Amino acid sequence: IQMARLTGNQADIPGYEAKRKRIEENYHKTFWNGREYRSPGYTGKTDDRGHAMAVVFGIAKPDQWPAIKQVFAREFHSSPYTEKFVLESLFQMNEPEAAIARMKSRYVKMVESPLTTLWEGWGVGAEGYGGGSYNHGWAGGPLTLMHEYAAGIKPSSPAFATYEVKPQLGPLKKVEAASHTVKGLVQVGIQRDAKHFQLKLTSPDETTATVYLPLKEYGHTAIRVNARPLWLNGKPNGEIPGITPAGEADGWTRFTVAPGTWAFESR
């Protein structure tokens, strides 16, 4: 649907939307039993992968998330490739702590190995899939997730003309990330302690960024940018050229940001 919009093929969209609606309705009606997704008559172990796809593609709704989180706490059937979608669904369900904990648990053997490549399976040789190859880039999903969700760098329109920085740190205290885009290098550095949340953004020309700061999560009320006051108790208390307040929602305080280097600090 999105590709049809971008390429001007508007006439294709109703057909795609109708297919999506049928999949969504029948996936839920056929497989959801009130606690988890299962095929009728199936008696084996519950599959984590089908739940992940349901969350990532918007089929599973927020009232199902608590049950799905329980599935992810006990089921571990995905390969290194499909594990990416399990982890992504946890981030999408606002569970960065659980996502990062599962990530560290699942990939620990690969990370601690003297091999410098990513594996096709959770082991190599006889322990792996498809012959146990130990050089598979498709196992690198956690890297993209750490950029997109932990650091929060995500395009919101083609070619990074607009993008957002919405970090979900979970247990992390410090994050540094850079993303190469057709507009230039986006650089994000985040550091937090008990009293401060600091986010530094270097944003390239011909872009507009939306920066999300988790004031509610950390109990903060004041924001300074480049050491100048900007926000206090839910309202602007200063003006900084290039920074425009964009309101508060769901615990986040948002700002529209022009190209340049900006140092946000909340307390």
Side-chain angles (χ1 to χ4, degrees), residues 2 9 34 38 54 65 97 113 132 146 157 177 183 193 197 206 228 264:
Q2 292 181 19
N9 291 286
R38 293 177 65 86
W65 291 356
E97 294 264 1
S113 167
M146 294 300 279
S157 66
K183 305 292 187 184
D193 56 31
F197 182 96
E206 300 180 10
R228 296 169 58 187
F264 292 82

Side-chain angles (χ1 to χ4, degrees), residues 158-256:
F160 265 81
T162 62
Y163 69 96
E164 63 181 42
V165 179
K166 189 178 184 181
Q168 293 179 257
L169 298 185
L172 303 176
K173 298 291 192 295
K174 182 179 180 180
V175 169
E176 292 183 1
S179 289
H180 289 274
T181 79
V182 295
K183 305 292 187 184
L185 190 66
V186 175
Q187 293 179 284
V188 172
I190 303 167
Q191 193 160 344
R192 67 181 176 98
D193 56 31
K195 296 182 178 180
H196 304 89
F197 182 96
Q198 298 171 313
L199 186 154
K200 185 176 181 179
L201 169 66
T202 299
S203 189
D205 292 340
E206 300 180 10
T207 65
T208 300
T210 300
V211 173
Y212 290 73
L213 297 179
L215 264 64
K216 185 176 181 180
E217 179 179 352
Y218 299 114
H220 294 173
T221 59
I223 297 172
R224 296 170 65 86
V225 179
N226 294 352
R228 296 169 58 187
L230 178 65
W231 191 262
L232 182 65
N233 295 323
K235 296 180 180 179
N237 75 324
E239 293 186 6
I240 298 176
I243 305 288
T244 303
E248 295 185 343
D250 302 322
W252 298 90
T253 303
R254 299 170 296 174
F255 300 91
T256 302

Side-chain angles (χ1 to χ4, degrees), residues 48 52-53 55-56 72 76 78-107 122 139-143 145-146 149 168:
D48 47 355
M53 297 303 181
V55 173
V56 169
F72 293 152
F76 303 91
S78 59
S79 69
Y81 172 67
T82 51
E83 180 68 18
K84 184 262 186 183
F85 300 103
V86 177
L87 301 175
E88 184 167 15
S89 65
L90 284 166
F91 278 114
Q92 290 191 1
M93 292 188 293
N94 303 314
E95 292 287 346
E97 294 264 1
I100 292 173
R102 178 164 169 142
M103 184 188 300
K104 291 172 70 175
S105 172
R106 293 290 267 161
Y107 291 87
W122 297 113
L143 179 61
L145 295 176
M146 294 300 279
Y149 292 97
Q168 293 179 257

Side-chain angles (χ1 to χ4, degrees), residues 55-68:
V55 173
V56 169
F57 292 109
I59 293 172
K61 305 306 179 186
D63 62 345
Q64 297 170 259
W65 291 356
I68 291 174

